[in-house]
Every structure is written in structure tokens, then in C-alpha cells.
């Protein structure tokens, strides 16, 4: 039964490269139903996962700047990750253009061999190439900027977004996403620029139930984004699935109370964050190199998918920490709603069903839903706490500590920050 319901033909083994140039593999965006046609029809759209952290772990992204040079430097790595998410069930290939504005690419001594335009162009070509291997759409994205945090003008910030979307228009992406914004004001500016393209626009904030860093509630944030022109609103990153679903529910209530309409999306972390404050996981002492003990299991991801769907969210994906097997779990949980399983389920028995083939009898006994749903995983770290105390520097736009610079952080500047950390900020 499972084999018969797999989506499409299973991929053949591939080498490092696919024949044909990017230009040859580009297909017109109109060849597939667009994102709004799918959502308007009530379909579930499954996003992809967290490229930045996934590629950092694989050795293609530098932690700190978190910028996407790999799209131009190591295209085979980005292409392969796209393919793995497609096989896991993703309907959207997001261009690997997170933090690809010129000011971020040049921030704090981050030297470049490629221009922002070259990185954005390469990312678009890779996403389109893989999207054309299935029924997936391409989304081009913009993110918050160092310029906004430094207090620069609306005109300056919008110019950075405009430079990025010029590439997306040239490459004919299917829709646009303004993602990872801590301040709804900057997200509004991004949406206003993205709407000038005439393409569908999604907007996600990296906020929790407390709202953005200026204290604007999730409901009010959503209303502002819809009024700015966003067709789809929601949250991404900074918080775990449970928190993100709760936040989107608040956004949905705000939009409905205002008499407006929108579609809703959620792309949370794959890390448990019950101990986070308003800033989210970047305030956790484990960020970014010791987060692994917090990773959600595939079974917890199935619960996330069900909770999100029950809340009315129809664009369901992931952000930092999400690997292809997490997205496969989302796809499998929503098999009935979608009408098929992803190709990647060929190698995964439902609720551990493949364990019936295991040599050890006690492992075969685990081939059942009840076992995995009730399991309380141990960390194997007897002297570690279950939760942490997050930092609380409480700095936001315009604060001296957030002023950005092209020069590398000096030893003197770093010493000042370390002293503040030691003194409790």
C-alpha cells in the first residue's frame, strides 16, 4: 500500500552534477499551479528545512556570519540538500539566499569572493533545477538587515531589498518570502518592496507569543503585514514547533478580528525551546554549537504537523535544525490530507514498521506507533540540566552594541562584550 502511494517516480542515483546548464533547466514559472492557487484550494504545502545550520554542519557555511556563499562556492552541496528535501516531500525549494543582502555579506570582516548578485543568481538556478525534478515551486527570500539594526533609513533598507528582488524577477521565481524579521516595521518595508513584483508574497517573523522586539503583539504584527500586502503570514526560526504554532494561532486570531484574510505558514526550529525568552534560541547558552540535545525526534515532528494543520496552517515547513527526515515526518503525518507519501518514504516504514525486519526480537517489538508516541527519550547526560537560563541583554535597533561595521570585530571590542557577559550584561 505504501509503495503504491509514493509520489511520482523514485529518483535514480545521481552523480555530483546534472547534465545541462542552469539556463537549459529553467522552466517558466507558469508551468505549475502557483502557491496561492494551491493554498486557495485548501492543499497542504510543505516547505523545506534549515539550510544554514545543515550546511554549517556539513562544512559549507561559516557560523557567525551565517551567509550563503555556498550557493556559488559549493553548488553541489546546495543542490544535494535541495534534492533531499524534495525527496522528503517538500513542495517549495527556497533559494539559499538567507542573509544575502550586500550589507550582511560585508559585515564584520566577512570577505567575499562573490558578489551578492552572483550568490543570489546561483541560488535561484540551483533551486529551479531541483524544483523542476518534481512538483515544487521556487521561493526567493529576503531577511532582516544589519542596516536596519544600525538605525539606517527606510529608503536605505528598501534599496537593499530591491537589489535582491531584481535578481528574483530576472530568474522568474514563483513567489517571494520576507523571512526572519525581529521587528515588524522592517518586515513591512520588505513586503512593500516585494509586492512591486506582482508575485505572491509570504512574510514570516522570528517571534514568539510575546511579539516582536518592540512589543508589538503577534496579532497586530500579522495585521500590519497583511495590510502591507502579504498573502501569507506566519513565523519562522527562533522558537520550537509548539511555540510557533501557538504564535501563528495568535496571528490568525488578530487577522480575523480585523476582518482581513490571509493564508498561514509555520517554519519553526527543530530544537525544543521551552526556556527561551522573547529573543528566542540565540539567547540560549548552547547557541549555536551545543544545540543537538534539544533536537526533536521524527515522531515529535509528526505531532507538530498535526497540530499545525489543526490550527489552520496550510504552509508547513521548518527552519534551523530541520533535516530532510524531519520534513519526511511532516509529509507522512499528512499523507491522508495530501493523498500520497513522499518518495523518501520508500525507505521508511510507517511508525517504525521497518523494524519488523530487525534481527533482535526486542527491537522488532518496537515496530508500533504506541511505543514511539509514548517514549520519553533520555539525553544520556546525567549531570546536565533539562533547561538553561537564557541571556538577556535586551538590546535592539539603535543600541550601540548592535551598530554594524564592515571591519572585523577587534580584540578590544570583543573584550568589552566579554566583560559585559561576565558582569551579567
Amino acid at each position: 500500500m505504501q509503495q503504491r502511494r509514493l509520489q511520482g517516480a523514485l529518483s535514480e542515483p545521481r552523480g555530483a552534477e546534472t547534465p545541462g546548464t542552469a539556463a537549459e533547466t529553467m522552466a517558466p514559472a507558469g508551468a505549475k499551479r502557483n502557491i496561492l492557487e494551491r493554498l486557495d484550494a485548501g492543499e497542504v504545502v510543505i516547505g523545506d528545512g534549515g539550510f544554514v545550520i545543515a550546511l554549517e554542519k556539513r562544512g559549507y557555511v561559516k557560523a557567525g556570519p551565517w551567509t550563503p556563499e555556498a550557493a556559488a562556492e559549493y553548488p553541489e552541496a546546495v543542490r544535494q540538500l535541495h534534492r533531499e528535501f524534495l525527496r522528503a516531500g517538500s513542495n517549495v525549494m527556497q533559494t539559499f539566499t538567507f542573509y544575502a543582502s550586500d550589507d550582511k555579506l560585508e559585515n564584520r570582516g566577512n570577505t567575499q569572493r562573490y558578489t551578492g548578485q552572483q550568490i543570489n543568481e546561483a541560488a535561484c538556478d540551483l533551486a529551479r533545477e531541483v524544483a523542476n525534478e518534481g512538483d515544487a515551486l521556487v521561493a526567493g527570500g529576503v531577511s532582516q538587515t544589519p542596516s536596519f539594526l544600525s538605525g539606517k533609513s527606510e529608503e536605505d533598507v528598501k534599496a537593499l531589498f530591491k537589489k535582491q528582488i531584481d535578481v528574483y524577477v530576472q530568474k522568474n521565481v514563483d513567489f517571494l518570502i520576507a523571512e526572519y524579521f525581529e521587528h515588524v516595521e522592517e518586515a513591512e518595508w520588505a513586503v512593500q518592496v516585494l509586492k512591486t513584483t506582482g508575485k505572491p508574497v509570504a512574510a514570516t517573523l522570528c517571534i514568539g507569543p510575546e511579539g516582536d522586539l518592540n512589543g508589538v503583539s503577534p496579532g497586530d504584527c500579522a495585521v500590519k503585514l497583511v495590510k502591507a500586502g502579504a498573502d501569507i503570514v506566519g513565523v519562522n526560526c527562533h522558537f520550537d514547533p509548539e511555540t510557533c504554532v501557538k504564535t501563528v494561532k495568535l496571528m490568525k486570531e488578530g487577522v480575523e478580528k480585523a476582518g482581513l484574510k490571509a493564508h498561514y505558514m509555520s517554519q519553526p526550529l527543530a530544537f525544543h525551546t521551552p526556556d527561551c525568552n522573547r529573543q528566542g534560541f540565540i539567547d540560549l547558552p548552547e547557541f549555536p554549537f551545543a544545540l543537538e540535545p534539544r533536537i526533536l525526534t521524527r515522531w515529535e515532528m509528526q505531532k507538530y504537523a498535526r497540530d499545525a494543520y489543526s490550527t489552520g496552517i496550510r504552509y508547513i515547513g521548518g527552519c534551523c535544525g530541520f533535516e530532510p527526515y524531519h520534513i519526511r515526518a511532516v509529509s507522512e503525518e499528512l499523507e491522508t490530507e495530501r493523498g500520497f507519501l513522499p518518495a523518501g518514504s520508500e525507505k521508511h516504514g510507517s511508525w517504525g514498521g521497518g523494524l519488523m525486519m530487525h534481527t533482535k526480537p526486542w527491537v522488532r517489538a518496537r515496530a508500533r506507533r504506541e511505543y514511539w508516541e509514548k517514549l520519553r527519550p533520555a539525553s544520556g547526560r546525567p549531570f546536565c540540566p533539562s533547561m538553561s537560563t537564557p541571556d538577556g541583554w535586551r538590546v535592539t535597533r539603535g543600541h550601540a552594541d548592535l551598530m554594524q561595521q564592515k571591519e572585523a570585530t577587534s580584540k578590544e571590542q570583543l573584550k568589552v562584550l566579554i566583560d559585559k557577559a561576565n558582569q551579567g550584561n
Side-chain angles (χ1 to χ4, degrees):
M1 181 69 171
Q2 185 184 63
Q3 181 72 24
R4 182 172 64 82
R5 292 172 65 83
L6 290 173
Q7 181 186 27
L10 299 176
S11 300
E12 295 296 326
R14 297 178 180 274
E17 298 295 330
T18 297
T21 64
E24 290 171 338
T25 59
M26 292 289 282
K32 300 174 183 177
R33 289 178 305 128
N34 72 33
I35 186 68
L36 295 182
E37 289 172 330
R38 298 181 189 208
L39 292 173
D40 286 344
E43 295 180 23
V44 175
V45 172
I46 295 182
D48 54 12
F51 271 61
V52 170
I53 283 187
L55 289 171
E56 191 278 331
K57 289 181 176 180
R58 289 159 169 79
Y60 299 105
V61 165
K62 180 180 286 187
W66 303 110
T67 44
E69 299 90 337
E73 289 179 330
Y74 304 104
E76 72 285 352
V78 177
R79 181 187 293 113
Q80 177 61 25
L81 192 53
H82 276 308
R83 283 200 176 118
E84 290 179 19
F85 280 117
L86 182 70
R87 182 174 170 80
S90 294
N91 300 120
V92 177
M93 300 290 105
Q94 271 189 247
T95 58
F96 184 41
T97 51
F98 177 75
Y99 270 169
S101 60
D102 285 344
D103 61 338
K104 180 61 178 175
L105 291 169
E106 299 173 351
N107 196 41
R108 296 199 172 274
N110 189 27
T111 57
Q112 293 294 329
R113 289 194 299 151
Y114 299 92
T115 65
Q117 180 173 341
Q118 289 173 318
I119 293 169
N120 285 300
E121 288 176 348
C124 287
D125 289 342
L126 291 167
R128 177 63 72 192
E129 177 185 344
V130 177
N132 283 352
E133 295 172 7
D135 186 32
L137 301 173
V138 175
V142 300
S143 312
Q144 68 179 11
T145 63
S147 292
F148 179 84
L149 294 177
S150 297
K152 291 193 176 180
S153 70
E154 177 178 350
E155 182 180 6
D156 289 338
V157 173
K158 283 186 171 181
L160 291 167
F161 296 143
K162 177 64 165 60
K163 194 169 183 179
Q164 275 191 273
I165 67 166
D166 284 345
V167 174
Y168 301 149
V169 170
Q170 176 194 351
K171 293 294 184 178
N172 198 24
V173 302
D174 298 300
F175 68 104
L176 299 164
I177 302 178
E179 69 165 0
Y180 196 81
F181 287 87
E182 297 171 309
H183 302 84
V184 69
E185 181 182 16
E186 187 183 15
E188 288 179 273
W189 297 352
V191 170
Q192 289 163 3
V193 175
L194 269 52
K195 285 298 287 186
T196 64
T197 66
K199 294 180 180 291
V201 173
T204 55
L205 305 175
C206 46
I207 65 171
E210 295 182 58
D212 82 348
L213 293 190
N214 285 331
V216 182
S217 72
D220 288 344
C221 283
V223 169
K224 288 176 179 290
L225 293 174
V226 173
K227 287 183 175 180
D231 304 292
I232 310 163
V233 295
V235 295
N236 81 295
C237 207
H238 275 209
F239 296 94
D240 59 26
E242 183 177 352
T243 304
C244 286
V245 169
K246 179 180 179 181
T247 305
V248 178
K249 183 179 180 181
L250 295 172
M251 298 177 89
K252 185 171 182 285
E253 290 170 356
V255 170
E256 292 172 350
K257 184 178 179 179
L260 302 172
K261 291 184 178 180
H263 294 291
Y264 301 94
M265 67 185 290
S266 173
Q267 302 213 99
L269 300 174
F271 307 110
H272 288 286
T273 62
D275 41 353
C276 278
N277 56 25
R278 187 192 296 269
Q279 185 75 68
F281 83 138
I282 59 175
D283 271 11
L284 292 175
E286 299 96 334
F287 176 84
F289 299 128
L291 290 165
E292 284 81 0
R294 294 174 175 264
I295 293 176
L296 276 74
T297 68
R298 65 193 68 195
W299 317 118
E300 290 169 325
M301 286 301 179
Q302 291 202 206
K303 181 179 185 304
Y304 153 58
R306 182 54 54 196
D307 290 346
Y309 186 86
S310 298
T311 301
I313 301 168
R314 292 296 179 266
Y315 188 138
I316 304 171
C319 198
C320 294
F322 264 73
E323 292 281 348
Y325 76 94
H326 288 129
I327 290 297
R328 182 180 63 187
V330 172
S331 302
E332 290 179 346
E333 176 62 29
L334 298 174
E335 174 195 359
T336 299
E337 288 77 10
R338 301 177 81 209
F340 57 86
L341 287 166
S345 292
E346 175 201 21
K347 299 294 185 181
H348 188 241
S350 178
W351 289 100
L355 297 180
M356 290 188 289
M357 303 171 70
H358 202 279
T359 57
K360 308 298 184 184
W362 57 90
V363 178
R364 291 199 297 273
R366 298 171 187 165
R368 53 198 166 95
R369 177 172 184 161
E370 181 185 22
Y371 176 86
W372 294 110
E373 277 192 323
K374 292 184 177 180
L375 182 69
R376 300 177 67 185
S379 71
R381 293 176 169 82
F383 303 109
C384 290
S386 61
M387 293 194 286
S388 299
T389 301
D391 290 327
W393 284 42
R394 296 181 179 85
V395 298
T396 187
R397 187 191 187 202
H399 192 283
D401 289 343
L402 276 182
M403 292 297 112
Q404 305 301 304
Q405 61 189 48
K406 286 189 177 182
E407 300 77 25
T409 303
S410 68
K411 291 182 179 179
E412 292 76 17
Q413 289 175 321
L414 186 58
K415 183 179 184 303
V416 170
L417 297 178
I418 293 172
D419 288 344
K420 284 188 176 183
N422 290 337
Q423 295 165 11
N425 323 133

